[in-house]
Amino acid sequence: MRTSMWPWFCAWFLVGALASLALLTVLTVGVFLLPIALVAAVFLATRRGRRAGLAGLVSGFGVPLLYVAFLNRGGPGNVCTTTATGQSCVDEYSPWGWLAAGVVFLIAGIVLGMVLQRRTPLR
């Protein structure tokens, strides 16, 4: 990607990550994060040159999915942790679906950005 596209890509990437995190946590803090993501998206959408890094939105959407995969890396099933003071057990999901979805979004955004860059003439 051209150097002028990276700031836009990163800005849209952050908005995508925030929106995805808001959707994943909608029953807790997501209710408060979603308006912030929407305001940021509107702010970026009203700027000149906004389309340059719009593909970052797709890539950013995959980051919270990768984090969920990381949190469930011991799963699927009941995972117990023993410490000096006791034991705690947590039921974890399979990380493979989350990992696959996160990687697909991350790579799709990068590829889309490269395709759009080739179609956009130099200014």
Side-chain angles (χ1 to χ4, degrees), residues 95-115:
W96 301 113
W98 296 99
L99 179 67
V103 168
V104 165
F105 276 111
L106 192 66
I107 293 174
I110 293 170
V111 170
L112 181 63
M114 292 189 317
V115 168

PDB file of all heavy atoms in Angstrom, residues 95-115:
ATOM      1  N   PRO A  95     -11.117 -22.698  20.350  1.00  0.00           N
ATOM      2  CA  PRO A  95     -10.536 -21.470  19.800  1.00  0.00           C
ATOM      3  C   PRO A  95     -10.447 -21.466  18.281  1.00  0.00           C
ATOM      4  O   PRO A  95     -10.234 -20.412  17.682  1.00  0.00           O
ATOM      5  CB  PRO A  95      -9.138 -21.451  20.422  1.00  0.00           C
ATOM      6  CG  PRO A  95      -8.810 -22.877  20.645  1.00  0.00           C
ATOM      7  CD  PRO A  95     -10.108 -23.544  20.982  1.00  0.00           C
ATOM      8  N   TRP A  96     -10.621 -22.601  17.642  1.00  0.00           N
ATOM      9  CA  TRP A  96     -10.346 -22.709  16.204  1.00  0.00           C
ATOM     10  C   TRP A  96     -11.299 -21.903  15.334  1.00  0.00           C
ATOM     11  O   TRP A  96     -10.890 -21.310  14.344  1.00  0.00           O
ATOM     12  CB  TRP A  96     -10.314 -24.174  15.782  1.00  0.00           C
ATOM     13  CG  TRP A  96      -9.255 -24.908  16.541  1.00  0.00           C
ATOM     14  CD1 TRP A  96      -9.444 -25.887  17.473  1.00  0.00           C
ATOM     15  CD2 TRP A  96      -7.843 -24.695  16.468  1.00  0.00           C
ATOM     16  NE1 TRP A  96      -8.233 -26.293  17.984  1.00  0.00           N
ATOM     17  CE2 TRP A  96      -7.231 -25.575  17.382  1.00  0.00           C
ATOM     18  CE3 TRP A  96      -7.036 -23.843  15.734  1.00  0.00           C
ATOM     19  CZ2 TRP A  96      -5.864 -25.625  17.562  1.00  0.00           C
ATOM     20  CZ3 TRP A  96      -5.668 -23.893  15.916  1.00  0.00           C
ATOM     21  CH2 TRP A  96      -5.092 -24.774  16.821  1.00  0.00           C
ATOM     22  N   GLY A  97     -12.552 -21.857  15.666  1.00  0.00           N
ATOM     23  CA  GLY A  97     -13.507 -21.053  14.892  1.00  0.00           C
ATOM     24  C   GLY A  97     -13.227 -19.565  15.022  1.00  0.00           C
ATOM     25  O   GLY A  97     -13.276 -18.816  14.040  1.00  0.00           O
ATOM     26  N   TRP A  98     -12.925 -19.131  16.247  1.00  0.00           N
ATOM     27  CA  TRP A  98     -12.593 -17.732  16.484  1.00  0.00           C
ATOM     28  C   TRP A  98     -11.304 -17.360  15.752  1.00  0.00           C
ATOM     29  O   TRP A  98     -11.213 -16.274  15.168  1.00  0.00           O
ATOM     30  CB  TRP A  98     -12.425 -17.471  17.977  1.00  0.00           C
ATOM     31  CG  TRP A  98     -13.670 -17.671  18.767  1.00  0.00           C
ATOM     32  CD1 TRP A  98     -14.009 -18.771  19.495  1.00  0.00           C
ATOM     33  CD2 TRP A  98     -14.760 -16.761  18.904  1.00  0.00           C
ATOM     34  NE1 TRP A  98     -15.246 -18.586  20.071  1.00  0.00           N
ATOM     35  CE2 TRP A  98     -15.715 -17.359  19.732  1.00  0.00           C
ATOM     36  CE3 TRP A  98     -15.002 -15.484  18.411  1.00  0.00           C
ATOM     37  CZ2 TRP A  98     -16.916 -16.736  20.077  1.00  0.00           C
ATOM     38  CZ3 TRP A  98     -16.183 -14.852  18.753  1.00  0.00           C
ATOM     39  CH2 TRP A  98     -17.133 -15.474  19.571  1.00  0.00           C
ATOM     40  N   LEU A  99     -10.324 -18.262  15.815  1.00  0.00           N
ATOM     41  CA  LEU A  99      -9.046 -18.003  15.141  1.00  0.00           C
ATOM     42  C   LEU A  99      -9.235 -17.893  13.629  1.00  0.00           C
ATOM     43  O   LEU A  99      -8.719 -16.973  12.989  1.00  0.00           O
ATOM     44  CB  LEU A  99      -8.040 -19.109  15.476  1.00  0.00           C
ATOM     45  CG  LEU A  99      -6.673 -18.987  14.838  1.00  0.00           C
ATOM     46  CD1 LEU A  99      -5.927 -17.778  15.388  1.00  0.00           C
ATOM     47  CD2 LEU A  99      -5.868 -20.254  15.068  1.00  0.00           C
ATOM     48  N   ALA A 100      -9.999 -18.820  13.063  1.00  0.00           N
ATOM     49  CA  ALA A 100     -10.227 -18.807  11.615  1.00  0.00           C
ATOM     50  C   ALA A 100     -10.941 -17.525  11.183  1.00  0.00           C
ATOM     51  O   ALA A 100     -10.544 -16.878  10.210  1.00  0.00           O
ATOM     52  CB  ALA A 100     -11.031 -20.038  11.202  1.00  0.00           C
ATOM     53  N   ALA A 101     -11.977 -17.153  11.916  1.00  0.00           N
ATOM     54  CA  ALA A 101     -12.720 -15.934  11.563  1.00  0.00           C
ATOM     55  C   ALA A 101     -11.837 -14.696  11.691  1.00  0.00           C
ATOM     56  O   ALA A 101     -11.851 -13.820  10.816  1.00  0.00           O
ATOM     57  CB  ALA A 101     -13.956 -15.800  12.451  1.00  0.00           C
ATOM     58  N   GLY A 102     -11.050 -14.614  12.747  1.00  0.00           N
ATOM     59  CA  GLY A 102     -10.170 -13.468  12.937  1.00  0.00           C
ATOM     60  C   GLY A 102      -9.120 -13.355  11.845  1.00  0.00           C
ATOM     61  O   GLY A 102      -8.862 -12.261  11.326  1.00  0.00           O
ATOM     62  N   VAL A 103      -8.520 -14.472  11.474  1.00  0.00           N
ATOM     63  CA  VAL A 103      -7.500 -14.461  10.422  1.00  0.00           C
ATOM     64  C   VAL A 103      -8.126 -14.096   9.080  1.00  0.00           C
ATOM     65  O   VAL A 103      -7.540 -13.329   8.300  1.00  0.00           O
ATOM     66  CB  VAL A 103      -6.774 -15.822  10.354  1.00  0.00           C
ATOM     67  CG1 VAL A 103      -5.931 -15.953   9.113  1.00  0.00           C
ATOM     68  CG2 VAL A 103      -5.912 -16.014  11.600  1.00  0.00           C
ATOM     69  N   VAL A 104      -9.313 -14.621   8.799  1.00  0.00           N
ATOM     70  CA  VAL A 104      -9.991 -14.303   7.534  1.00  0.00           C
ATOM     71  C   VAL A 104     -10.271 -12.808   7.439  1.00  0.00           C
ATOM     72  O   VAL A 104      -9.990 -12.177   6.407  1.00  0.00           O
ATOM     73  CB  VAL A 104     -11.297 -15.118   7.385  1.00  0.00           C
ATOM     74  CG1 VAL A 104     -12.183 -14.557   6.293  1.00  0.00           C
ATOM     75  CG2 VAL A 104     -10.965 -16.577   7.094  1.00  0.00           C
ATOM     76  N   PHE A 105     -10.806 -12.204   8.497  1.00  0.00           N
ATOM     77  CA  PHE A 105     -11.074 -10.767   8.477  1.00  0.00           C
ATOM     78  C   PHE A 105      -9.785  -9.958   8.339  1.00  0.00           C
ATOM     79  O   PHE A 105      -9.727  -9.000   7.575  1.00  0.00           O
ATOM     80  CB  PHE A 105     -11.821 -10.329   9.741  1.00  0.00           C
ATOM     81  CG  PHE A 105     -13.308 -10.527   9.666  1.00  0.00           C
ATOM     82  CD1 PHE A 105     -13.930 -11.477  10.455  1.00  0.00           C
ATOM     83  CD2 PHE A 105     -14.084  -9.772   8.813  1.00  0.00           C
ATOM     84  CE1 PHE A 105     -15.294 -11.672  10.400  1.00  0.00           C
ATOM     85  CE2 PHE A 105     -15.452  -9.951   8.744  1.00  0.00           C
ATOM     86  CZ  PHE A 105     -16.055 -10.904   9.534  1.00  0.00           C
ATOM     87  N   LEU A 106      -8.765 -10.338   9.083  1.00  0.00           N
ATOM     88  CA  LEU A 106      -7.503  -9.610   9.046  1.00  0.00           C
ATOM     89  C   LEU A 106      -6.881  -9.639   7.647  1.00  0.00           C
ATOM     90  O   LEU A 106      -6.509  -8.605   7.097  1.00  0.00           O
ATOM     91  CB  LEU A 106      -6.541 -10.198  10.080  1.00  0.00           C
ATOM     92  CG  LEU A 106      -5.285  -9.419  10.383  1.00  0.00           C
ATOM     93  CD1 LEU A 106      -5.631  -8.101  11.045  1.00  0.00           C
ATOM     94  CD2 LEU A 106      -4.379 -10.230  11.289  1.00  0.00           C
ATOM     95  N   ILE A 107      -6.789 -10.807   7.065  1.00  0.00           N
ATOM     96  CA  ILE A 107      -6.180 -10.937   5.740  1.00  0.00           C
ATOM     97  C   ILE A 107      -7.071 -10.337   4.654  1.00  0.00           C
ATOM     98  O   ILE A 107      -6.575  -9.704   3.717  1.00  0.00           O
ATOM     99  CB  ILE A 107      -5.839 -12.414   5.453  1.00  0.00           C
ATOM    100  CG1 ILE A 107      -4.715 -12.856   6.405  1.00  0.00           C
ATOM    101  CG2 ILE A 107      -5.444 -12.630   4.005  1.00  0.00           C
ATOM    102  CD1 ILE A 107      -4.373 -14.314   6.331  1.00  0.00           C
ATOM    103  N   ALA A 108      -8.383 -10.508   4.776  1.00  0.00           N
ATOM    104  CA  ALA A 108      -9.298  -9.946   3.771  1.00  0.00           C
ATOM    105  C   ALA A 108      -9.181  -8.434   3.693  1.00  0.00           C
ATOM    106  O   ALA A 108      -9.192  -7.859   2.600  1.00  0.00           O
ATOM    107  CB  ALA A 108     -10.734 -10.353   4.086  1.00  0.00           C
ATOM    108  N   GLY A 109      -9.033  -7.783   4.828  1.00  0.00           N
ATOM    109  CA  GLY A 109      -8.884  -6.333   4.823  1.00  0.00           C
ATOM    110  C   GLY A 109      -7.586  -5.890   4.169  1.00  0.00           C
ATOM    111  O   GLY A 109      -7.550  -4.907   3.429  1.00  0.00           O
ATOM    112  N   ILE A 110      -6.516  -6.610   4.430  1.00  0.00           N
ATOM    113  CA  ILE A 110      -5.217  -6.270   3.823  1.00  0.00           C
ATOM    114  C   ILE A 110      -5.269  -6.474   2.314  1.00  0.00           C
ATOM    115  O   ILE A 110      -4.822  -5.623   1.541  1.00  0.00           O
ATOM    116  CB  ILE A 110      -4.096  -7.083   4.481  1.00  0.00           C
ATOM    117  CG1 ILE A 110      -3.926  -6.640   5.935  1.00  0.00           C
ATOM    118  CG2 ILE A 110      -2.792  -6.923   3.716  1.00  0.00           C
ATOM    119  CD1 ILE A 110      -3.024  -7.529   6.756  1.00  0.00           C
ATOM    120  N   VAL A 111      -5.821  -7.599   1.886  1.00  0.00           N
ATOM    121  CA  VAL A 111      -5.928  -7.878   0.447  1.00  0.00           C
ATOM    122  C   VAL A 111      -6.847  -6.854  -0.224  1.00  0.00           C
ATOM    123  O   VAL A 111      -6.526  -6.334  -1.301  1.00  0.00           O
ATOM    124  CB  VAL A 111      -6.430  -9.319   0.208  1.00  0.00           C
ATOM    125  CG1 VAL A 111      -6.789  -9.550  -1.245  1.00  0.00           C
ATOM    126  CG2 VAL A 111      -5.378 -10.318   0.670  1.00  0.00           C
ATOM    127  N   LEU A 112      -7.962  -6.544   0.407  1.00  0.00           N
ATOM    128  CA  LEU A 112      -8.876  -5.538  -0.147  1.00  0.00           C
ATOM    129  C   LEU A 112      -8.182  -4.184  -0.258  1.00  0.00           C
ATOM    130  O   LEU A 112      -8.345  -3.479  -1.254  1.00  0.00           O
ATOM    131  CB  LEU A 112     -10.119  -5.423   0.730  1.00  0.00           C
ATOM    132  CG  LEU A 112     -11.175  -4.428   0.281  1.00  0.00           C
ATOM    133  CD1 LEU A 112     -11.742  -4.822  -1.075  1.00  0.00           C
ATOM    134  CD2 LEU A 112     -12.286  -4.350   1.323  1.00  0.00           C
ATOM    135  N   GLY A 113      -7.392  -3.834   0.732  1.00  0.00           N
ATOM    136  CA  GLY A 113      -6.643  -2.579   0.679  1.00  0.00           C
ATOM    137  C   GLY A 113      -5.666  -2.548  -0.479  1.00  0.00           C
ATOM    138  O   GLY A 113      -5.516  -1.520  -1.152  1.00  0.00           O
ATOM    139  N   MET A 114      -4.993  -3.658  -0.733  1.00  0.00           N
ATOM    140  CA  MET A 114      -4.044  -3.711  -1.847  1.00  0.00           C
ATOM    141  C   MET A 114      -4.769  -3.642  -3.185  1.00  0.00           C
ATOM    142  O   MET A 114      -4.292  -2.992  -4.119  1.00  0.00           O
ATOM    143  CB  MET A 114      -3.181  -4.968  -1.746  1.00  0.00           C
ATOM    144  CG  MET A 114      -2.243  -4.910  -0.559  1.00  0.00           C
ATOM    145  SD  MET A 114      -0.986  -6.203  -0.423  1.00  0.00           S
ATOM    146  CE  MET A 114      -1.806  -7.688  -0.823  1.00  0.00           C
ATOM    147  N   VAL A 115      -5.927  -4.287  -3.288  1.00  0.00           N
ATOM    148  CA  VAL A 115      -6.705  -4.233  -4.526  1.00  0.00           C
ATOM    149  C   VAL A 115      -7.218  -2.824  -4.776  1.00  0.00           C
ATOM    150  O   VAL A 115      -7.127  -2.304  -5.900  1.00  0.00           O
ATOM    151  CB  VAL A 115      -7.873  -5.244  -4.479  1.00  0.00           C
ATOM    152  CG1 VAL A 115      -8.859  -5.005  -5.603  1.00  0.00           C
ATOM    153  CG2 VAL A 115      -7.343  -6.658  -4.518  1.00  0.00           C
TER     154      VAL A 115
END
